[in-house]
Amino acid sequence: MRTAYSVETVRNAERELMARLPEGALMQRAAAGLAAACAQVLARVAGRVYGSRVVLLVGSGDNGGDALYAGARLARRGAGVTAVLLAPDRAHGGGLTALRRAGGRVAEGGPAGSAEELIARADLVLDGIVGIGGSGGLRKEAGPLADAAARSRAAVVAVDLPSGVDADTGRVRGDVVRADLTVTFGTHKPGLLIDPAREYAGSVRLVDIGLPLPGEAAELEALQHPDVARLLPVPAGESDKYRRGVVGIAAGSARYPGAAVLAVAGALRGGAGAVRYVGPAGDAVIARFPETLVSDQGPKRAGRVQAWVVGPGAGDDAATVAQVLAAEVPVLIDADGLRLADADAVRARTAPTLMTPHAGEAAALLGVGREEVEAARLDSVRELAARYGATVLLKGSTTLVARAKGGPVRVNATGTSWLATAGSGDVLSGLAGSLLAAGLSAVDAGSVGAYLHGLAGRFAAEGAPAGAHDVAAAIPRAWRDVRGD
């Protein structure tokens, strides 16, 4: 499992490790890993390190020192390395000395455009302007350099984190360096895994520098294939449909029958033994999926289920939502159900509850603008989970799953922009609801469902448009891929 830690936790771990190491040893570890990554990039973009042109954008903090020491290593391998100092009086002294001794140079004075001209001719630009303690976007003098790097043909490598993004939250408040590769040290930082900051990080490479990080202090968790494989429900020899779990789907309306069909499609591929459908779209559901158990007598009389999904395409059917919330089994609330659910009824539930809003729905529940949720996804999902006493899956370019009682937030590592299509969320609600019925906890059902859904979206699209029904059809392939079958 990939984890991410807050700036405070990283700083504490750095201090603890530095107290046990010779002075400067930790920075040298970071610089060695950074230089190795840059050498690989140069081999790809310039054909070799020797004779390539490298520009270092150097701020006043330790990130600037990392960049200078890495630049010195590249200079010793024959690269032409030039450092642009944004704070000459506060640049890392040891790093500057090492760079000059290795044959690198420092851009001194000259016309205002000289640094931008250096960037325009570079093969690689190393962003060491601001470290993990920075926030609020780039300062005025750094903005033109970030723009020049974005316009250039150079590969841009960020030191630890793209300068200008908020390491702890993923917020972006102003000019930011856009990297092709971010080389981060010791652990991932939350901003590298959460949009909008993630968009600026490019590919992320983790360099292990030996930080003593306490597992319980992680801010984020990102499941990987082996983690998901361990959580997938697999029937035993004595299993029947009830032992595997039965999921109830209360969805659809005369206006939106397709939402019911798509939620059932996701549920049938989610690992439960059977799907019971309740709602006005029974004919459409049974025509597409004859194995579905269809009832028109409401959730209370539908028969035994181990979990409910309520809300996709439900229109204004508040009575059905209320009946489902009163059930003493896990419940997933999506789409119209989020609008119709009584907040006090959600908080009063004793069985697990999983809410799955997109940014617009989350904004309505929080009473803020959509843009505020999208700018602060981590804060928003935590606030929703705390306010409703429920596990919350916030859908979007970065899907996050927050527990009701706090702890690490799960961030989904799969997906594709092609999943931004009508009905995709209905498939996810059915899939995650089926995992709930199969016995997974709310946080596991949400994060495993998002993982499989994102992977299925990649398989369904493969670089071209795909519909929600294509995503549902690709779930078995995603399942097999995770299990290595």
Side-chain angles (χ1 to χ4, degrees), residues 2 51 69-70 84 99 125 156 164 175 187 197 208 250 286 302 420 424 432 438 453:
R2 185 182 300 168
Y69 278 119
V84 176
L99 178 67
V125 174
V156 180
D175 291 335
T187 182
D208 184 4
I286 206 74
S424 175
H453 183 257

Side-chain angles (χ1 to χ4, degrees), residues 213-314:
L213 293 162
E216 68 277 6
E219 293 289 317
L220 294 182
E221 302 171 337
L223 299 181
Q224 306 296 294
H225 265 38
D227 306 304
V228 177
R230 284 192 294 271
L231 291 168
L232 290 178
V234 178
E238 70 278 8
S239 295
D240 58 29
K241 62 185 178 185
Y242 294 106
R243 287 189 178 95
R244 290 183 59 188
V246 180
V247 60
I249 304 290
S253 59
R255 184 177 182 183
Y256 300 115
V261 173
L262 290 168
V264 169
L268 286 169
R269 294 167 173 87
V275 177
R276 294 189 186 276
Y277 172 73
V278 175
D283 289 344
V285 168
I286 206 74
R288 183 70 180 272
F289 301 111
E291 65 269 46
T292 309
L293 309 172
V294 174
S295 170
D296 60 0
Q297 297 188 35
K300 288 184 178 179
R301 298 183 179 181
R304 176 185 173 189
V305 299
Q306 277 78 37
W308 277 105
V309 173
V310 65

